[in-house]
Structures are given as C-alpha cells and as structure tokens.
Amino acid sequence: MQDYDYEQQRKKIREKREKAQELLRAKKKSTPEKKPDWFKIKLPGGDNYTELKKNLRDNKIWTVCEEASCPNLTECWAAKTATMMILGGTCTRACRFCHVDTGNPKGVINQEEIANAANMAKVMALNYLVITSVDRDDLPDFGASHFANVVESVRENHPKTLVEVLVPDFNAVEEHMDTLAKSNPFVIAQNVETVKRLTHVVRDRRAGYEQSLNCLKYYKDNYPHISTKTSLMVGLGETMEELIECMDDLRSVNCDIITFGQYLRPTQRHLAVERYYTPAEFEELKNIAYEKGFKFVASGPLVRSSYKAADYLKHLRDQGHEI
C-alpha cells in the first residue's frame, strides 16, 4: 500500500479548480447565470472564526466547510458543528453536478484520518460532526470499514460529539452497510440528490434512485435507533409533483430527515441551472415535507446536506427526547 500524500491531493484539486476558472474566463462572451438577490452572503469572519481556523491549521486539519467554500461556514462553526471529508479527494464516480475530482485512487487510504477526526472534534469542541466522503469503488468494501473506524474513534475519544455520516451507497452490499451501521453513528445520510426521472441525467450510472431508497430502508429496518436522512437539489428541471412523489417514496422507507437546497452550477462543464427557487417555494417544500411525516426538514436556497445538521438534535430535545 503506497503512502497517502495529502498535500499532493490538495494541489491536484487546486489545479483542477484553476483550470475550471480559466475555462469560465474563456467563455466570458456567453451570458453568465445571474443569481437572485437572496443568494447574497457574508464572508466568513470574526474572532471565533479566525481562532478556529488557526487551530485547525496548527493541527493540520482541513474541513469540507472550507474546501467547498460553504456559505454557511461561520454559522455552523458558531454552533459547534463542522463537516469532515475522508477517503481522500478523488471520487471513482462522475456525477454531473459535482466538482470533486474523478479518477482511480488505486486503493490508497489515509489512515491518519481516523485520529484526525477525533482531533478535529477536540480542537473545535464540536457538539456535532458530519463525516462524508467521495465514492470509493476501488476498495473491496467501498470504504465502509474506514468509515466505521473513523466514527468509532470520535465516539471513543470525544464521546460528547454526536456523529452524522453522509455515506456512499457501498454498492448496496448489506455486509458493508452493516459494517458502517455497527459503528453506531447518530444519523446515517444517503442522498437521493434528485427526483427519479432525472437520476440518470444527474448522477453517475452506478448510482440509482431505487438503490439509494433501498439503502435507506435497510438501515432503518435493521438499525431503527439510528435516524436516516437524505437531501435533494432543486432547480435541475424537476416538477413539484415529482418532488412530492420523491417525498412519498422516502417516507415509504421511513426516512426521518430531508433537506432541500438550490443546485448551483460549479462550472460551465456541469449541468446548467434550469431555474432558481424562491424562498417562498422552499418554505412550501418544508411545509409539505412536515405534512408527509418527516421528523425534521431543512429547506432553503443555501441549504446543503450538512447545513444546521445539529438542529435535528435540538429539535429532538425540544420535543422532550433525552439524547
């Protein structure tokens, strides 16, 4: 097994982004997509942000929040919530909405991620940590055991931090899903990403609408104490009827949590935005989802899979549940 060179991986990602930016500059003649006014956000800042960022760099820890330039970074960090990506930065799948590097990682795993996750929880004094990853079809178990080791490390070394995992489908192999679930995360998230009709357009051919539903069903049927979660992007050409149908499909497998966020085009090479949903439409989706029986819903233009993830914990406590 060759050593994992994290700095080289980060350089590779930076070079890819720079090439994408060059492509955008070369296409200046085309009319750029104009985002509505409600997409205006404040840049990260403040003493808490500056101190946290320094502590993270001193400990050689990087968060998805920073790498993805998340617009909600300051808000989530203030709430002692953060997201960490594991299993490297190269994905074996090529979804048409995603800007993550695609390729063959050749079985390389950074074992330091196991200790880094627990260290991140300690450095940031996290109440809630979301752990996500790229797809790793190059690994025999698709990365399930590494995910489990990371979750267990956080639970053992920083038990006050609740862990949510946003996982690949592990090719829907029950043995590997069991490996992940037995590490006992607080929430298991598996994203359907879009409505059934658009799945083959938006996602990699190895991902599937029914496969994601079956994974969510398996986790809930066999590990009912673990909450299940999914996320949808809107603005890709779906209809309200299709979104409602998707909600019904998700409730049929007892999915607990759902989030809705606006799809934003990473580069000109990715799928175009068909339209921007208004804040009122996101509120409507939220109300419909609660009517359908979801336990917790986050819905808004800038909502991402892990946005305000810890709010689910607060929601449960407000309802009288002891966590």
Side-chain angles (χ1 to χ4, degrees), residues 24 59 108 190 276 280 282 301 314:
L24 283 174
N59 286 273
V108 175
Q190 165 91 160
Y276 291 101
F282 278 108
K314 180 179 183 300

Side-chain angles (χ1 to χ4, degrees), residues 171-208:
N171 212 33
V173 177
E174 294 180 358
E175 176 187 355
H176 305 326
M177 289 192 286
D178 285 332
T179 296
L180 179 277
K182 286 176 181 176
S183 67
N184 202 31
F186 183 58
V187 173
I188 296 178
Q190 165 91 160
N191 289 348
V192 293
E193 307 291 7
T194 188
V195 298
K196 186 175 183 179
R197 175 177 61 86
L198 295 176
T199 295
H200 71 287
V201 176
V202 174
R203 302 176 70 187
D204 184 275
R205 60 180 177 80
R206 285 163 290 184

Side-chain angles (χ1 to χ4, degrees), residues 1 18 119 161 166 179 206 214 261 316:
M1 183 76 69
E18 288 170 1
N119 195 25
T161 302
L166 172 55
T179 296
R206 285 163 290 184
N214 289 338
L316 292 177

Side-chain angles (χ1 to χ4, degrees), residues 250-321:
L250 290 162
R251 286 301 301 133
S252 74
V253 297
N254 293 313
C255 183
D256 299 304
I257 310 166
I258 190 169
T259 73
F260 300 96
Q262 174 70 52
Y263 166 67
L264 298 175
R265 190 182 199 180
T267 74
Q268 293 285 2
R269 291 176 292 181
H270 290 79
L271 291 170
V273 177
E274 293 296 325
R275 79 179 183 90
Y276 291 101
Y277 280 53
T278 66
E281 288 175 306
F282 278 108
E283 188 65 21
E284 181 182 5
L285 286 171
K286 180 178 180 179
N287 292 336
I288 293 172
Y290 272 124
E291 289 173 1
K292 295 288 183 184
F294 287 95
K295 292 181 180 178
F296 184 74
V297 184
S299 181
L302 295 173
V303 167
R304 297 296 177 261
S305 298
S306 58
Y307 176 62
K308 288 193 171 182
D311 278 13
Y312 176 55
L313 172 62
K314 180 179 183 300
H315 178 74
L316 292 177
R317 284 174 171 161
D318 289 345
Q319 290 183 327
H321 298 282

Side-chain angles (χ1 to χ4, degrees), residues 142-181:
F142 305 91
S145 59
H146 188 67
F147 243 109
N149 289 337
V150 172
V151 174
E152 289 168 353
S153 175
V154 176
R155 293 182 64 242
E156 290 173 7
N157 293 286
H158 211 275
K160 292 183 179 180
T161 302
L162 292 179
V163 180
E164 173 180 316
V165 291
L166 172 55
V167 294
D169 57 27
F170 303 132
N171 212 33
V173 177
E174 294 180 358
E175 176 187 355
H176 305 326
M177 289 192 286
D178 285 332
T179 296
L180 179 277

Side-chain angles (χ1 to χ4, degrees), residues 8-21:
Q8 183 180 33
Q9 185 66 47
R10 285 172 54 79
K11 181 181 178 182
K12 188 177 180 182
I13 293 172
R14 284 196 299 270
E15 288 174 349
K16 181 184 176 184
R17 287 177 178 168
E18 288 170 1
K19 287 180 181 178
Q21 290 170 354

Side-chain angles (χ1 to χ4, degrees), residues 15-221:
E15 288 174 349
K16 181 184 176 184
R17 287 177 178 168
E18 288 170 1
K19 287 180 181 178
Q21 290 170 354
E22 289 175 6
L23 179 64
L24 283 174
R25 285 192 289 269
K27 293 188 176 182
K28 281 272 187 176
K29 293 181 181 179
S30 61
T31 303
E33 296 171 347
K34 187 178 185 303
K35 295 182 179 68
D37 292 340
W38 53 82
F39 277 95
K40 293 179 180 178
I41 58 171
K42 292 182 179 180
L43 293 175
D47 294 340
N48 182 59
Y49 166 78
T50 303
E51 183 179 354
L52 268 178
K53 188 166 184 176
K54 181 181 183 302
N55 287 340
L56 289 170
R57 291 301 82 78
D58 289 346
N59 286 273
K60 297 182 180 180
I61 298 172
W62 285 265
T63 67
V64 172
C65 320
E66 297 168 278
E67 297 289 345
S69 301
C70 180
N72 310 305
L73 183 153
T74 303
E75 188 176 358
C76 289
W77 282 14
K80 301 297 183 181
T81 302
T83 301
M84 177 183 186
M85 179 177 275
I86 62 173
L87 290 170
T90 300
C91 187
T92 53
R93 299 186 184 183
C95 296
R96 295 187 65 202
F97 66 89
C98 185
H99 198 207
V100 172
D101 193 31
T102 299
N104 182 4
K106 299 180 180 179
V108 175
I109 297 177
N110 180 11
Q111 297 296 337
E112 292 181 3
E113 291 173 342
I114 298 171
N116 284 348
N119 195 25
M120 179 173 164
K122 178 182 178 181
V123 169
M124 299 185 74
L126 294 176
N127 296 322
Y128 204 96
L129 173 61
V130 181
I131 301 172
T132 186
S133 78
V134 293
D135 283 281
R136 291 296 301 268
D137 299 284
D138 60 310
L139 298 173
D141 68 350
F142 305 91
S145 59
H146 188 67
F147 243 109
N149 289 337
V150 172
V151 174
E152 289 168 353
S153 175
V154 176
R155 293 182 64 242
E156 290 173 7
N157 293 286
H158 211 275
K160 292 183 179 180
T161 302
L162 292 179
V163 180
E164 173 180 316
V165 291
L166 172 55
V167 294
D169 57 27
F170 303 132
N171 212 33
V173 177
E174 294 180 358
E175 176 187 355
H176 305 326
M177 289 192 286
D178 285 332
T179 296
L180 179 277
K182 286 176 181 176
S183 67
N184 202 31
F186 183 58
V187 173
I188 296 178
Q190 165 91 160
N191 289 348
V192 293
E193 307 291 7
T194 188
V195 298
K196 186 175 183 179
R197 175 177 61 86
L198 295 176
T199 295
H200 71 287
V201 176
V202 174
R203 302 176 70 187
D204 184 275
R205 60 180 177 80
R206 285 163 290 184
Y209 183 81
E210 295 296 340
Q211 182 155 295
S212 293
L213 288 175
N214 289 338
C215 288
L216 288 165
K217 176 176 171 56
Y218 185 81
Y219 288 126
K220 182 53 68 176
D221 286 351

